[in-house]
Amino acid sequence: MAEEKKRVIIAEPIPDNVLIEAEEAFPDLDEEEHAAASPLPETTEELPETEPPQSEESSAVAAIATAELFKKCILPDRTELQERILKTKNDILVGDHCDIGYGLYGNDVVVCEFCKLTGDVVAEGDLRIDNFCEINGTVICNGDAYLGEGVKVHGKLTVGGNLDIGDNVTIEKEFKALGDISIRNPMPVILYLLLYVMTMLHLDNEAEVEKTVNAIISEANSEPLVLPPRTTMDLRYFSVSTPMTVGVNCRLHGNIKAKSVALKNDVTLFGGIHASRRVRIGERTAVHGDVIGQNIRIERGADILGDVAGDKVWLHEDALVSGIIRSPGGLTIGRFEEKKE
């Protein structure tokens, strides 16, 4: 049997003056800042003629719908953050201005503009990479691929279907497409998402948009992996400015920084957690590092291989903490009685 590669994960220790500083570490993205991060390019003649025109009202509603998609970081069930790649069987949505020190593997993969990825990108379905993104690896797509203006691929490009490619695209090594190749500026990713929400869902008011998008995201079978705008990931940290939810049976490497963190059942995290608000550790979940937050809840069978620090901590009587628990606001040891059928 080949010797397994050793991997060192540095879990940050809890400082002596522990408690969390408010939301300054993870400020909310207000509407103006988000709009500046994802400007909608003007429509050009090179866009498909079938594109329906949008009124100011419909554009605003669609923008709200798109914002809902990136409202929080979502890692669906059975996601694996391996040594070199973030892998899921579901779709992947990556917001703009992200710096991802890993490759991506998913079904349909959508990457918004000005993103940098270090690693290979593999899409079992379609692939859409927006303007001025940089991929330091090989790109493989089994469906149709869309590369926007100024995209750089420092490796090979293989496309099983059709390829739409914009101006000034750089592919350092060879590329191959089994379908048709169109050299033009494809529809920008952010506009594609807006048109999808408005056209495919046939929505015309904000309440209906939010309700429908939330319903789609909440479905376990179709839940996409979502990385919000300005996500940063490297060998030490997985950092987002939004809440983060991690599904069941996930296996992750690295320390997590987020506004709030919810790990569902049977998750293994080789690293620590630092949240400015709530932390919830699900049943039979193992965290190989420290857990820091304001309100912390640790469920039955969880195993924390480090310290726990929060203003208030709720700890199930059957959970384990290997380190020190610091809780100025009070520590509660609790239990849930099993329901009798």
Side-chain angles (χ1 to χ4, degrees):
M1 180 181 295
E3 183 178 354
E4 184 179 356
K5 292 183 180 179
K6 293 185 178 179
R7 175 183 173 83
V8 177
I9 299 296
I10 301 174
E12 293 291 320
I14 292 180
D16 293 334
N17 53 343
V18 59
L19 281 183
I20 314 301
E21 298 177 2
E23 324 263 314
E24 297 178 358
F26 302 102
D28 289 333
L29 288 175
D30 57 31
E31 294 180 0
E32 293 181 358
E33 182 180 352
H34 185 77
S38 305
L40 289 178
E42 296 180 359
T43 303
T44 68
E45 295 179 356
E46 295 175 330
L47 291 176
E49 296 180 358
T50 56
E51 178 189 334
Q54 287 187 300
S55 65
E56 292 183 1
E57 182 179 357
S58 65
S59 297
V61 174
I64 293 171
T66 305
E68 286 292 322
L69 293 175
F70 294 111
K71 197 173 183 178
K72 62 181 178 180
C73 178
I74 301 173
L75 302 184
D77 297 349
R78 297 175 181 83
T79 295
E80 294 185 10
L81 180 52
Q82 301 175 348
E83 185 175 357
R84 296 181 180 178
I85 197 163
L86 178 60
K87 185 175 182 180
T88 180
K89 294 182 179 179
N90 297 17
D91 296 342
I92 298 178
L93 302 177
V94 180
D96 54 59
H97 293 85
C98 291
D99 188 353
I100 311 298
Y102 295 85
L104 299 176
Y105 184 106
N107 185 33
D108 290 347
V109 178
V110 176
V111 181
C112 292
E113 61 185 4
F114 295 105
C115 289
K116 182 177 180 180
L117 281 74
T118 303
D120 299 337
V121 176
V122 180
E124 292 289 349
D126 293 342
L127 171 67
R128 186 176 287 269
I129 300 177
D130 207 358
N131 301 334
F132 306 110
C133 290
E134 185 174 1
I135 313 297
N136 288 307
T138 294
V139 176
I140 300 173
C141 171
N142 291 332
D144 296 334
Y146 308 84
L147 304 183
E149 180 182 356
V151 170
K152 295 181 180 180
V153 178
H154 299 285
K156 297 180 180 180
L157 171 65
T158 302
V159 179
N162 300 324
L163 172 62
D164 266 8
I165 191 167
D167 295 333
N168 301 315
V169 171
T170 302
I171 301 170
E172 287 193 357
K173 299 183 180 179
E174 65 185 33
F175 77 91
K176 178 174 64 175
L178 301 182
D180 296 333
I181 299 177
S182 299
I183 301 177
R184 60 190 176 91
N185 283 330
M187 184 184 301
V189 167
I190 191 68
L191 186 56
Y192 168 81
L193 292 174
L194 299 184
L195 293 177
Y196 171 79
V197 172
M198 294 301 298
T199 305
M200 300 301 292
L201 301 183
H202 302 288
L203 305 177
D204 56 6
N205 64 76
E206 296 180 10
E208 189 177 2
V209 166
E210 184 172 355
K211 180 179 179 180
T212 304
V213 172
N214 285 336
I216 292 174
I217 293 177
S218 66
E219 293 178 5
N221 293 332
S222 61
E223 185 175 49
L225 188 156
V226 179
L227 300 180
R230 302 185 185 278
T231 294
T232 59
M233 295 174 62
D234 55 32
L235 294 178
R236 293 188 62 192
Y237 289 107
F238 184 164
S239 179
V240 299
S241 61
T242 64
M244 177 186 293
T245 299
V246 179
V248 301
N249 292 301
C250 292
R251 186 178 178 88
L252 311 175
H253 290 79
N255 300 289
I256 290 176
K257 285 187 175 182
K259 182 175 290 185
S260 63
V261 178
L263 304 185
K264 295 185 180 180
N265 300 342
D266 302 296
V267 174
T268 301
L269 172 63
F270 294 98
I273 296 173
H274 190 147
S276 57
R277 291 184 181 175
R278 296 177 178 271
V279 177
R280 182 183 181 277
I281 310 296
E283 296 181 6
R284 302 175 300 280
T285 287
V287 178
H288 294 251
D290 299 335
V291 177
I292 303 175
Q294 284 189 340
N295 294 330
I296 300 175
R297 184 179 183 91
I298 303 173
E299 301 290 355
R300 178 178 55 189
D303 190 1
I304 311 300
L305 302 174
D307 297 341
V308 173
D311 181 50
K312 295 181 180 179
V313 176
W314 189 96
L315 179 68
H316 194 280
E317 62 180 359
D318 293 330
L320 297 176
V321 176
S322 300
I324 299 171
I325 300 176
R326 298 176 183 173
S327 180
L331 169 64
T332 301
I333 307 295
R335 70 169 67 173
F336 281 129
E337 297 292 340
E338 295 184 358
K339 295 181 179 180
K340 296 182 179 180
E341 296 182 357

